[in-house]
Amino acid sequence: MELYRPFLPHDELATVVSEPSKMYDNLAAILGLDLLVQAHQALTEQAKRVGASKAEAAALKRGLTSELQALDDERAVAARATLRGRSPDVEAVAALATGTGEPDSSTDALRQLAEVDVPDGAWRRVRADLATAREALRAALEAERAVARRSTAVLSAALAHHENEGDGPCPVCGQGLLDEAWVSQARRQVDEAGMFAQAVATAQDQAAAAERALIAATPPCPAVVDGARFADLPEVARAAEAVGSAWARWQQAARQLDSGAGTDLVEVEAVFGRLAELVEAMRGSAAVERDRREDVWRPVAVRLGQWVVSARAAAAAAEKLAGLEAAEKWLKDNLDDMRRQQLAPLSERMQHIWSQLRHESNVDLLPLSLRGHEDPSPGRVRRQRGRVGCPGVTVMSQGERNALALSVFLPRVSLPESPFGFVVIDDPVQAMDPAKVDGLARVLAEVAQDRQVVVFTHDDRLPQSVRRLGIQARIVEVTREPGSRVAVSTIDNPARRHLDDARAVASDRNVPEEQKAQVVAELCRFALESACHEVHYRRQLGRGRDRREVETEISAAGKTSRRLALVVTGDAAGSLEPWKAGRHLSRDRLGVCFVGCPPGYAS
């Protein structure tokens, strides 16, 4: 029932064309391609899952490109350059995102500037050592000067005299005695003077070493402290220039301690204190600007990291994705070929039916093709692409839509594989012009060659077409009588029906005679006109004449006698007398069809 549904209700006539997804499902199932379609769907979904990281990386890259373009940062410039191209350097982007591969940027310089420090503790320790050494030197010099006042040289000469002359008076003053007691005391004084001289020499060496240590503890100004490097940041540039100048003064003051330029330690320490204040101010300015830039860069770095994760995953899945995409394309190409092959008979049948139903319609039914679930277009909608070309026409009439629907429906239900020996169609004639009705009768006659065709209609034009075209068919009338009793009667043709009605009226004893005369006459006239109409249509259409021309001709005949003459003689103005005479028809008997029934006719 789902594949070969043989019913077409009237309310579904419009949906056959306007809801192509249903037609696609039906046709795809009939063609037996369901398993291949499902396999293609599975490949598509798997490729979509495997390629999700690739799609995600591409989307992130597009967003990052525009975001980096608006960012004034050397890292952003480097990231844009790295992301450019079909195969960006993932590891280089990862280094930028994590900060391990940043270029020599102003942001990196700001980070270094915010970390600049003066050797405060070490320098102060060395300065204290120098102060201690200088104090020791001063004390040694004072002691040495005190001993020097005792004339150490004279004592040394007197001791030498004593060693040569022995005990005796002092050779200088002649009053003192140079004996053993004096020698012992003099030697002690000379020895003490020698020790103080050694202490002075040692203190001098220690002071010199402390001065050299102080110079060594005064390092050069870091290269990053360069105001010109931060020209675009005036506040940071001014702070860096001030630090650079103070640092130079500090170095110069430290060197002058050793050069004997008279620089005092207190002066050096004052210079150092000022330098420490300037460095602290510079670090603050650099840190503020660094933090501002980092606040802007950090979210971008996070997204760069996300892209790196997606890009790595995409690279890992690239081989598998390539295989899936190749398999998907191969199956799709073969599906298209199989569809074209199996749709060809259906498409030809549809166009054949439409050629009989279109009758002067500007609508062209082009070859049918299918594109299904694997359709890569937006929305991935199932579509039955029975393309309809309407040159210069934007709206189809309801009759054209019904005819198109039948052109699509009938080939499917007429397939040899269908297990149903019948087709049921509900009221397909509505809104069709007479020519299309004739075409429908011929199409239904073709379908009826190998199955029963049942058509329900309230429109008498289809039975008329069937009779006029001489198509073998059984026409029945279904009526609902009083008490909801349904009556079914066979109708051969309208003329016979009118005559049967006339006989029924004539034999009805309850109908007054005068009414019988009028009704029977009218019914006989209807029967004659109907017979003339069908005979003339069948004869003229069989000769290949245009339907509208035949319709105009019989309508123009007007009176019943003229229509009878048109059928009998071929000319509405022709004489019926020879024809009546040959069939032994009296004028009175024909007169009942023309003017009514004379009194006593019914009896």
Side-chain angles (χ1 to χ4, degrees):
M1 287 297 296
E2 291 179 359
L3 296 182
Y4 305 101
R5 183 168 178 262
F7 304 102
L8 183 59
H10 178 74
D11 59 357
E12 293 185 13
L13 270 171
T15 64
V16 171
V17 177
S18 63
E19 297 184 11
S21 61
K22 292 183 179 179
M23 176 56 66
Y24 172 86
D25 290 335
N26 291 331
L27 291 179
I30 288 173
L31 297 177
L33 302 177
D34 289 27
L35 291 178
L36 291 178
V37 171
Q38 292 172 15
H40 186 269
Q41 291 172 352
L43 285 171
T44 301
E45 292 301 322
Q46 181 69 4
K48 182 179 179 181
R49 286 192 293 270
V50 173
S53 55
K54 179 179 179 181
E56 181 183 3
L60 285 170
K61 180 181 175 182
R62 287 193 296 271
L64 281 166
T65 300
S66 58
E67 191 171 359
L68 291 169
Q69 190 71 33
L71 197 60
D72 184 18
D73 192 297
E74 290 85 349
R75 293 168 293 184
V77 175
R80 285 201 306 270
T82 307
L83 284 173
R84 190 178 296 117
R86 297 178 60 87
S87 301
D89 188 340
V90 177
E91 299 310 316
V93 176
L96 284 171
T98 57
T100 58
E102 293 181 4
D104 185 17
S105 64
S106 58
T107 302
D108 186 47
L110 283 169
R111 187 181 298 112
Q112 296 176 32
L113 200 62
E115 296 171 355
V116 168
D117 198 3
V118 290
D120 185 88
W123 188 84
R124 290 186 185 279
R125 285 194 299 272
V126 174
R127 183 263 178 202
D129 292 342
L130 176 59
T132 301
R134 285 194 168 186
E135 181 61 28
L137 177 59
R138 185 190 63 78
L141 288 172
E142 286 292 329
E144 184 185 36
R145 282 194 293 272
V147 173
R149 284 195 297 269
R150 298 173 185 174
S151 305
T152 304
V154 175
L155 290 174
S156 297
L159 287 172
H161 174 76
H162 180 271
E163 287 179 359
N164 294 325
E165 301 297 333
D167 292 344
C170 174
V172 177
C173 66
Q175 298 179 0
L177 180 64
L178 302 181
D179 56 10
E180 289 299 325
W182 176 86
V183 170
S184 176
Q185 182 181 0
R187 287 187 182 281
R188 284 195 303 270
Q189 290 178 353
V190 172
D191 291 341
E192 184 179 354
M195 287 188 295
F196 279 109
Q198 182 62 39
V200 169
T202 301
Q204 288 176 337
D205 291 341
Q206 290 176 347
E211 290 172 353
R212 290 193 297 272
L214 184 65
I215 294 174
T218 308
C221 184
V224 72
V225 183
D226 182 3
R229 188 170 186 177
F230 303 98
D232 57 335
L233 302 171
E235 185 176 349
V236 176
R238 285 193 296 271
E241 289 173 358
V243 168
S245 299
W247 204 297
R249 289 194 298 273
W250 179 47
Q251 285 187 297
Q252 182 181 10
R255 285 194 296 269
Q256 286 177 347
L257 285 173
D258 183 49
S259 63
T263 303
D264 188 75
L265 273 176
V266 176
E267 182 182 347
V268 175
E269 187 164 6
V271 172
F272 176 79
R274 177 59 180 162
L275 172 62
E277 293 175 0
L278 293 173
V279 167
E280 187 64 28
M282 179 190 70
R283 290 176 57 176
S285 298
V288 169
E289 181 62 24
R290 176 203 62 195
D291 292 343
R292 184 192 70 78
R293 293 195 175 197
E294 288 299 329
D295 289 342
V296 176
W297 171 253
R298 191 174 296 110
V300 179
V302 170
R303 284 187 284 279
L304 283 173
Q306 293 172 344
W307 177 85
V308 168
V309 172
S310 296
R312 286 172 176 169
E319 184 175 354
K320 184 177 182 180
L321 180 61
L324 285 169
E325 290 176 342
E328 180 187 13
K329 182 179 183 303
W330 180 90
L331 187 53
K332 180 182 182 298
D333 293 343
N334 282 275
L335 269 173
D336 290 343
D337 289 340
M338 293 180 69
R339 284 196 185 101
R340 283 192 292 271
Q341 294 172 13
Q342 298 197 37
L343 276 176
L346 274 175
S347 181
E348 292 174 3
R349 180 66 173 157
M350 288 179 186
Q351 293 185 70
H352 169 71
I353 293 176
W354 174 243
S355 68
Q356 298 189 67
L357 294 181
R358 62 181 298 175
H359 185 70
E360 298 184 356
S361 172
N362 289 329
V363 179
D364 292 325
L365 181 63
L366 303 180
L368 183 70
S369 64
L370 290 181
R371 291 174 65 188
H373 295 277
E374 73 280 9
D375 186 358
S377 60
R380 305 173 68 83
V381 178
R382 300 190 308 274
R383 287 191 281 177
Q384 173 264 339
R385 294 184 60 207
R387 296 170 294 169
V388 179
C390 309
V393 178
T394 58
V395 179
M396 288 189 295
S397 68
Q398 185 60 46
E400 287 175 324
R401 295 180 67 85
N402 290 353
L404 271 175
L406 290 166
S407 298
V408 174
F409 169 77
L410 289 173
R412 180 167 65 89
V413 298
S414 303
L415 289 171
E417 296 84 357
S418 172
F420 300 104
F422 63 90
V423 178
V424 180
I425 307 174
D426 180 26
D427 204 8
V429 186
Q430 188 182 71
M432 286 188 179
D433 58 56
K436 286 186 173 61
V437 175
D438 288 348
L440 176 61
R442 293 188 182 94
V443 168
L444 295 177
E446 292 180 1
V447 177
Q449 295 300 314
D450 55 9
R451 66 197 64 240
Q452 184 183 28
V453 177
V454 180
V455 180
F456 293 95
T457 180
H458 294 281
D459 195 324
D460 193 50
R461 291 180 300 164
L462 182 59
Q464 289 177 2
S465 291
V466 169
R467 288 190 295 268
R468 284 197 305 269
L469 297 173
I471 297 173
Q472 184 179 359
R474 181 187 177 204
I475 303 174
V476 297
E477 183 180 52
V478 181
T479 57
R480 186 182 298 277
E481 298 180 349
S484 293
R485 186 173 67 87
V486 176
V488 180
S489 58
T490 301
I491 301 176
D492 292 330
N493 57 62
R496 188 178 300 277
R497 180 179 176 182
H498 291 314
L499 291 176
D500 289 343
D501 290 343
R503 291 189 185 97
V505 172
S507 62
D508 192 341
R509 297 180 182 277
N510 296 318
V511 178
E513 292 298 322
E514 291 184 1
Q515 293 181 6
K516 285 183 180 181
Q518 284 186 325
V519 171
V520 168
E522 286 296 311
L523 289 174
C524 289
R525 182 171 66 86
F526 290 160
L528 184 58
E529 287 191 357
S530 178
C532 291
H533 194 277
E534 290 196 20
V535 169
H536 187 65
Y537 257 101
R538 186 182 306 118
R539 183 182 298 164
Q540 299 303 319
L541 293 180
R543 293 172 181 172
R545 294 185 63 188
D546 182 73
R547 190 185 196 288
R548 287 180 297 181
E549 181 183 338
V550 176
E551 180 73 35
T552 301
E553 186 177 50
I554 199 168
S555 297
K559 296 182 178 180
T560 305
S561 59
R562 291 176 61 85
R563 292 183 180 182
L564 182 60
L566 180 64
V567 173
V568 171
T569 67
D571 185 359
S575 174
L576 289 173
E577 294 304 324
W579 177 79
K580 289 189 295 181
R583 285 161 179 73
H584 309 290
L585 296 177
S586 68
R587 185 177 183 85
D588 292 339
R589 290 183 179 178
L590 277 177
V592 74
C593 297
F594 304 148
V595 297
C597 182
Y601 172 82
S603 61

